[in-house]
Amino acid sequence: MLTVGLTGGIGAGKSEVGRLLASYGAVLVDSDRIAREVVEPGTEGLAAVVAEFGTGVLAPDGSLDRPKLGAVVFADEDRRKALNAILHPLIAARSDELRRAAGPGDIVLQDVPLLTENGLAPLFDLVVVVDADPATQLDRLVRLRGMAEDEARSRMAAQASRAERLAVADLVIDNDGPLDALEPQVRAVWAELRERLRAARDGA
């Protein structure tokens, strides 16, 4: 098994890279999806979030109103740390469960938005960083996601810098251009991951 951490700044295109690698055969452990699962209605995660932040972060149907919660935590570092203290252990436990279910010949790709910020690079055999210029990230967040520019800048500022992410990268995918330029790079990275898995198995 080869464990790969996939990360990148918000708006860099990490999710699209993860989707492509999964389509080639990677076992994708999506931290964003898991983060949503652990706060679904009826979960201990949602109960803990409500206990910490109040019922004002709930939607009328009792589910978590993620934009409301995001507005709170991205404006206050202490509140963000409080949320992370609730979510990270739950996400880690579910991620470990999914990794253990993978086979010895699998490439397990874990999509981790805050890999750099939380010092998680040593947990993986390799780290793949999806890189984009901050101006490109901002444009995508505002133009494609409809995010207010102030909110987009706040969310970018809450993450690691571009230099900090690149410092932990073993492989870098440049996603500063159009989508049709992305897939050839991802295919090349997939070939490299398969080669490294073969080398690791031969050396075992």
Side-chain angles (χ1 to χ4, degrees):
M1 181 188 299
L2 187 73
T3 61
V4 181
L6 174 68
T7 196
I10 185 171
K14 172 178 55 62
S15 295
E16 178 64 16
V17 170
R19 185 191 68 77
L20 287 169
L21 288 170
S23 75
Y24 303 153
V27 175
L28 179 61
V29 179
D30 186 338
S31 294
D32 276 339
R33 186 175 67 238
I34 295 170
R36 291 190 291 272
E37 289 176 359
V38 299
V39 290
E40 287 178 350
T43 61
E44 63 173 288
L46 182 59
V49 169
V50 172
E52 177 69 32
F53 294 92
T55 56
V57 298
L58 292 177
D61 65 358
S63 65
L64 182 64
D65 188 323
R66 297 176 68 85
K68 280 186 181 177
L69 180 60
V72 173
V73 301
F74 284 104
D76 186 327
E77 184 177 356
D78 288 338
R79 303 308 283 150
R80 186 166 64 251
K81 288 179 178 178
L83 178 64
N84 288 342
I86 295 169
L87 296 185
H88 287 172
L90 298 173
I91 294 169
R94 178 59 177 153
S95 298
D96 287 343
E97 182 182 345
L98 292 172
R99 281 197 299 268
R100 288 195 299 270
D106 284 331
I107 294 173
V108 179
L109 180 75
Q110 186 157 351
D111 181 333
V112 189
L114 300 180
L115 181 149
T116 306
E117 292 84 343
N118 293 324
L120 302 180
L123 300 181
F124 301 95
D125 297 320
L126 287 169
V127 172
V128 175
V129 170
V130 183
D131 182 52
D133 186 274
T136 302
Q137 292 176 248
L138 182 64
D139 175 68
R140 289 172 179 163
L141 294 175
V142 173
R143 182 170 54 85
L144 301 179
R145 296 196 193 178
M147 197 177 288
E149 183 172 335
D150 286 350
E151 181 184 359
R153 290 185 182 277
S154 175
R155 294 201 176 201
M156 289 172 62
Q159 295 187 333
S161 69
R162 185 182 191 183
E164 288 169 335
R165 279 191 296 272
L166 291 174
V168 302
D170 296 291
L171 299 170
V172 177
I173 294 173
D174 178 5
N175 193 27
D176 213 33
L179 190 60
D180 59 5
L182 179 64
E183 187 165 4
Q185 293 187 74
V186 181
R187 282 193 178 277
V189 164
W190 177 244
E192 174 69 15
L193 295 177
R194 286 176 59 84
E195 180 57 36
R196 295 204 186 199
L197 175 61
R198 280 194 294 270
R201 292 175 72 179
D202 291 345

